[in-house]
Amino acid sequence: ANELRFQTICQITERQPVAPKVPSRLEDLWAVDVFTLNKMQACLPKEVFRSLKHTIQTGGKLDVSISGIVAAAMKDWAISKGALYYAHVFYPMTNITAEKHDAFISLQSDGTAITEFTGKVLVQGEPDGSSFPNGGIRSTFEARGYTAWDVTSPAYIMETDNGATLCIPTVFISWTGEALDKKTPLLRSNAAMSKAATRLLKLLGHTDVASVNSSCGAEQEYFLVDAHFAHSRPDLLLAGRTLFGRPAAKGQQFDDHYFGAIPERVQVFMQDVEEKMYRLGIPAKTRHNEVAPGQFEIAPYFEAANVASDHQQLTMTLLRNTAKKHGFVCLLHEKPFAGINGSGKHVNWSVGNATQGNLLDPGDTPHANLQFLLFCGAVIRGVHQYGPLLRAVVATASNDHRLGANEAPPAIISVYLGSQLEDVYEQIKNGDVQGSMRPGLMNLGIDTLPEFPKDPGDRNRTSPFAFTGNRFEFRAVGSNQSVSGPLVAMNTILTDSLTWVADRLEAELGEGKSLDAAAYNILKEVMEQHGAVVFGGDGYSAEWHRMAVEERGLLNLPTTADALPMLKTESIKELFVKTGVLSEKELESRFETYSEQYIRVIDMEAKLVISMTKTLIYPAVLRHLSEIAGAIASLKTIGLPFETANVELISDLTSKMMTTVGELSSALAVHDFATTEEHMQYCAKTLRPLMDRVRGYADALEDEVADDLWPLPKYQEMLFIK
Ligand code: ADP
Ligand code: MG
């Protein structure tokens, strides 16, 4: 009998939950571990503080001469918080966070040691990052990668059981200045977008225009599974998802999890995570159960995109690490369990500044409407023109399980505007703006467009890219992903569109047109050329899949193998090069890196499917069969008949399973591919289906084999025992 599985269940039911802490007051927690502007102001000379603050708030160049003073102040603060080490934190082209730790130590000539942290080591570091993916940018003779301080994201103290470390967010670049990370392009895309947006705002007549920044609020979905279960499943441990497992009789159909109270053990965990987030200045705001059993969500209040992106990485780290303390494993994979919903990350995004506010807020004055319609129109144009890019930046092996699986948005990128806004743009396109205009004011008057009541209730859950009142929500992002890639894509396509709008506006104004008339013409053109991307219907329906492709000319890119090669198309290359966000070489290196990751994941999972079948499932089935065979033989000796159909079914499933495992093994041995694209297609079209077939047989057997012989924790146990 499979003792381990039952012991596991006993251990879990006897588990003593971590005792809940008395919640601390927010004021006692908020940003206590962050080197905030306030703390800098308190400890830096006035001039130095002013210079640094200017760089942080306007994105201007850092005055390197002040770095020594800042470093010394930062070190004193960190040491007062118990830190002995500092780390340059960077974000390589994987979805993880990397750190290189160094001690605050300097050896004197007399042999004594002092704590030291110079401006030079604050500003620049040189981790031995040669093991991070670089997609061919760094060959061995130029293997050096550098980290450089990102002043716009605050330094903080990370407490672990082994002590505290001062963490300094940095970019990671090659010695030739090429981006090797996710932060560099995000900073560049923000700067490019700001330039284009401020230009347009000035054309619209604003004289006081502050720099524009993008903002992001990311909703993170995740699963919690008891650590005992996760540790007895090699697939959860290595792949982060179940490669086998028959969906439980009870799934999410009763919605009792979604609407139920958060289980106490989970609540204690959430509180712990949130306290840690508050200490790090991450504004955790919403928590709730999600649709699937065992699934939850946490969302912060939105922040500047660059900071939000770093905070999102930290949130994932905190979720994983804190889960361990509470006897859980936190699964950030997009599809840990078949048959129930997977996890996504909704990336809420808008752009704005200190002088004009949120530029995607329709506001309630007609003048603001004009400006809003142009910014929103620019987004529509960008999503249509560069839809394949938006698809490519959410393409990972794990997210393939989710996109298009009728629980998450389809792999076709379209925009949802809500019925009212869709109607306004439709009127503009038809050249017949009625809206709620007052009679007598029919002069093309954008000025007289209706007010848009914010209507967050008007939601279409099936759209990958939805306008939600004062922002867009990109819903196709994977739960495991860094939000940087999606933010870079959104900022960059907006940059391109705003530049186009500004060029057109300049031309029309130059011809003597009024601002209203010019804007109106431009919007009409946007809708004529790009209106095909606007869709408010059911994105899951077969009809949409047909219509999108056949009538609207949108691309349906179901797998990563289809989506990533889009990064190599001319129009996307041009987009990145002309906006200065990525050079051709950098873009190429991203394609190589992400393709390699995709291939590696599928290769690893395929190997795991083979070994788990051979060493866990097959032996269990054989034991089961031999028990039955013994029983049949005994029954025969006493002259009782026995129906053997069931035995034959099991034996048949088993032999098919093992034959397919053999096919998968042979398929894995194929290595000669002419191109990366071909290799990816092979993973998508040959390996994945074979893995699914093995799983199909194994899952059918799970329903036949004696429960006490089944070697893997079952879905019903993992999802419902807490
Ligand atoms: P939902 O209804 O989609 O579950 P939530 O309230 O859970 O909405 O999450 C919405 C997210 O959008 C939050 O992180 C919120 O701070 C963020 N958000 C709100 N306004 C903006 C904005 N202007 N720009 C970016 N993010 C925003
Ligand atoms: Mg949402």
Side-chain angles (χ1 to χ4, degrees):
N2 201 297
E3 299 291 339
L4 181 67
R5 210 177 110 225
F6 293 102
Q7 272 171 17
T8 302
I9 296 174
C10 291
Q11 277 168 348
I12 292 167
T13 41
E14 281 161 19
R15 211 188 248 291
Q16 292 300 313
V18 175
K21 278 187 275 185
V22 180
S24 307
R25 287 172 11 165
L26 183 60
E27 303 82 77
D28 297 335
L29 293 171
W30 182 247
V32 292
D33 291 338
V34 184
F35 198 48
T36 56
L37 274 178
N38 284 344
K39 286 180 193 132
M40 291 183 206
Q41 186 165 24
C43 64
L44 288 173
K46 252 201 190 94
E47 284 310 306
V48 173
F49 175 72
R50 201 173 298 144
S51 162
L52 195 63
K53 187 175 158 198
H54 180 75
T55 302
I56 293 170
Q57 292 184 340
T58 64
K61 264 231 170 328
L62 172 71
D63 173 8
V64 188
S65 68
I66 64 168
S67 61
I69 301 168
V70 179
M74 207 187 262
K75 184 202 75 180
D76 289 344
W77 171 74
I79 288 179
S80 79
K81 304 277 301 175
L84 298 175
Y85 289 84
Y86 69 92
H88 274 197
V89 175
F90 55 104
Y91 310 89
M93 285 188 269
T94 57
N95 289 311
I96 60 150
T97 311
E99 295 167 4
K100 183 194 178 217
H101 292 228
D102 283 287
F104 289 122
I105 185 175
S106 176
L107 208 55
Q108 304 298 95
S109 51
D110 63 358
T112 54
I114 57 163
T115 62
E116 188 179 62
F117 187 53
T118 62
K120 190 163 168 275
V121 297
L122 164 63
V123 173
Q124 193 179 7
E126 200 190 314
D128 176 29
S130 51
S131 55
F132 293 106
N134 62 74
I137 282 187
R138 292 187 294 160
S139 34
T140 38
F141 64 92
E142 52 180 38
R144 297 231 167 280
Y146 291 97
T147 51
W149 182 28
D150 169 19
V151 192
T152 60
S153 186
Y156 57 92
I157 301 275
M158 195 61 168
E159 302 245 17
T160 65
D161 292 343
N162 320 320
T165 303
L166 168 67
C167 294
I168 301 152
T170 61
V171 295
F172 183 44
I173 49 179
S174 75
W175 73 286
T176 43
E178 266 121 1
L180 295 170
D181 68 345
K182 301 226 174 208
K183 186 190 264 289
T184 308
L186 180 54
L187 294 174
R188 288 182 191 155
S189 73
N190 257 326
M193 186 276 298
S194 175
K195 208 167 137 211
T198 48
R199 177 180 162 215
L200 179 57
L201 288 172
K202 283 177 188 155
L203 280 175
L204 291 175
H206 295 289
T207 44
D208 187 15
V209 180
S211 61
V212 176
N213 202 347
S214 53
S215 54
C216 161
E219 305 160 51
Q220 173 77 55
E221 292 179 332
Y222 60 93
F223 278 86
L224 289 175
V225 172
D226 193 281
H228 288 310
F229 285 138
H231 293 157
S232 43
R233 295 217 36 151
D235 46 3
L236 280 185
L237 216 52
L238 299 188
R241 73 170 177 116
T242 54
L243 295 168
F244 299 95
R246 195 177 167 77
K250 178 175 169 176
Q252 60 194 40
Q253 68 272 45
F254 299 108
D255 269 342
D256 47 355
H257 178 66
Y258 197 29
F259 297 116
I262 300 175
E264 188 184 330
R265 201 179 143 201
V266 176
Q267 229 176 88
V268 177
F269 157 80
M270 285 175 166
Q271 185 198 331
D272 202 359
V273 171
E274 283 157 17
E275 286 207 357
K276 288 178 177 152
M277 288 172 74
Y278 291 149
R279 295 181 69 91
L280 292 167
I282 309 174
K285 177 130 177 66
T286 325
R287 51 150 102 144
H288 55 80
N289 291 348
E290 260 306 322
V291 178
Q295 192 187 27
F296 306 91
E297 179 182 298
I298 182 161
Y301 196 76
F302 70 99
E303 302 177 276
N306 176 37
V307 175
S309 175
D310 291 357
H311 281 172
Q312 222 291 306
Q313 298 275 120
L314 263 174
T315 303
M316 291 197 280
T317 306
L318 289 176
L319 283 170
R320 286 200 188 98
N321 293 349
T322 312
K324 279 185 209 153
K325 293 223 170 74
H326 293 256
F328 288 120
V329 166
C330 176
L331 301 171
L332 295 175
H333 192 286
E334 284 78 359
K335 192 79 183 174
F337 303 99
I340 53 172
N341 276 10
S343 301
K345 184 139 56 197
H346 291 178
V347 176
N348 294 270
W349 165 82
S350 68
V351 296
N353 65 4
T355 41
Q356 279 73 44
N358 179 357
L359 299 167
L360 289 172
D361 189 336
D364 36 37
T365 65
H367 179 69
N369 280 359
L370 167 67
Q371 180 179 303
F372 162 75
L373 287 171
L374 284 173
F375 273 87
C376 185
V379 175
I380 295 170
R381 175 186 178 273
V383 176
H384 184 240
Q385 191 140 318
Y386 302 107
L389 170 63
L390 290 174
R391 174 64 187 92
V393 295
V394 298
T396 63
S398 48
N399 209 17
D400 277 1
H401 293 276
R402 194 178 145 255
L403 295 183
N406 279 13
E407 52 160 280
I412 303 166
I413 302 291
S414 63
V415 179
Y416 171 76
L417 293 176
S419 46
Q420 193 182 17
L421 197 53
E422 191 176 329
D423 182 54
V424 170
Y425 276 106
E426 197 56 33
Q427 291 178 31
I428 292 172
K429 185 173 153 195
N430 297 335
D432 179 26
V433 180
Q434 306 260 322
S436 58
M437 288 192 305
R438 281 155 286 160
L441 281 172
M442 297 293 286
N443 60 338
L444 293 184
I446 300 279
D447 261 353
T448 53
L449 276 176
E451 295 174 7
F452 313 124
K454 278 174 217 146
D455 195 5
D458 191 0
R459 291 290 182 89
N460 180 325
R461 289 276 156 203
T462 67
S463 176
F465 204 89
F467 183 73
T468 48
N470 60 358
R471 60 186 185 270
F472 280 93
E473 184 172 350
F474 190 12
R475 303 206 185 105
V477 183
S479 51
N480 220 346
Q481 267 192 281
S482 154
V483 295
S484 283
L487 289 168
V488 168
M490 291 189 281
N491 285 338
T492 308
I493 63 177
L494 182 60
T495 304
D496 180 64
S497 280
L498 291 175
T499 306
W500 178 85
V501 171
D503 287 347
R504 290 277 287 103
L505 201 56
E506 252 174 12
E508 299 241 349
L509 294 176
E511 287 167 19
K513 288 219 180 68
S514 74
L515 188 59
D516 279 8
Y520 180 75
N521 281 348
I522 293 168
L523 286 168
K524 190 166 178 329
E525 192 176 327
V526 165
M527 289 315 288
E528 280 163 1
Q529 309 274 325
H530 306 288
V533 80
V534 177
F535 176 65
D538 179 3
Y540 296 166
S541 69
E543 172 56 10
W544 169 239
H545 282 75
R546 189 198 60 74
M547 177 164 71
V549 176
E550 288 173 19
E551 290 168 27
R552 304 216 188 178
L554 304 178
L555 290 182
N556 183 7
L557 302 165
T559 71
T560 299
D562 305 308
L564 279 183
M566 292 295 134
L567 295 179
K568 291 183 135 182
T569 53
E570 273 314 307
S571 87
I572 290 178
K573 245 190 259 173
E574 255 171 47
L575 169 74
F576 280 116
V577 173
K578 76 182 169 199
T579 51
V581 173
L582 288 173
S583 70
E584 214 174 313
K585 192 170 164 195
E586 287 171 329
L587 183 62
E588 173 76 19
S589 83
R590 263 148 231 267
F591 168 77
E592 289 301 335
T593 303
Y594 302 148
S595 304
E596 200 175 295
Q597 277 160 15
Y598 172 73
I599 291 167
R600 271 195 203 153
V601 167
I602 294 195
D603 183 73
M604 180 265 289
E605 287 187 347
K607 285 178 178 147
L608 204 49
V609 164
I610 296 170
S611 76
M612 286 176 71
T613 311
K614 285 186 176 168
T615 65
L616 288 165
I617 296 166
Y618 182 64
V621 182
L622 283 196
R623 277 176 205 138
H624 177 75
L625 280 174
S626 92
E627 264 189 29
I628 303 184
I632 294 173
S634 313
L635 288 172
K636 265 200 188 139
T637 59
I638 55 170
L640 285 176
F642 190 87
E643 178 55 63
T644 58
N646 190 251
V647 188
E648 280 157 27
L649 170 74
I650 296 175
S651 141
D652 181 49
L653 283 171
T654 311
S655 80
K656 283 183 177 141
M657 176 176 78
M658 294 316 284
T659 309
T660 317
V661 163
E663 283 175 46
L664 182 57
S665 294
S666 318
L668 257 184
V670 177
H671 284 302
D672 45 337
F673 301 99
T675 60
T676 309
E677 284 88 333
E678 202 183 290
H679 195 171
M680 283 199 288
Q681 285 295 341
Y682 183 77
C683 291
K685 302 252 165 64
T686 305
L687 297 181
R688 279 279 323 272
L690 279 169
M691 289 160 59
D692 289 346
R693 274 177 52 208
V694 175
R695 180 188 186 141
Y697 296 126
D699 289 358
L701 284 164
E702 185 181 327
D703 213 26
E704 302 294 336
V705 170
D707 188 63
D708 64 333
L709 293 177
W710 196 254
L712 297 165
K714 295 187 169 182
Y715 269 32
Q716 69 216 35
E717 296 155 6
M718 290 188 287
L719 293 172
F720 292 98
I721 299 178
K722 289 239 164 49

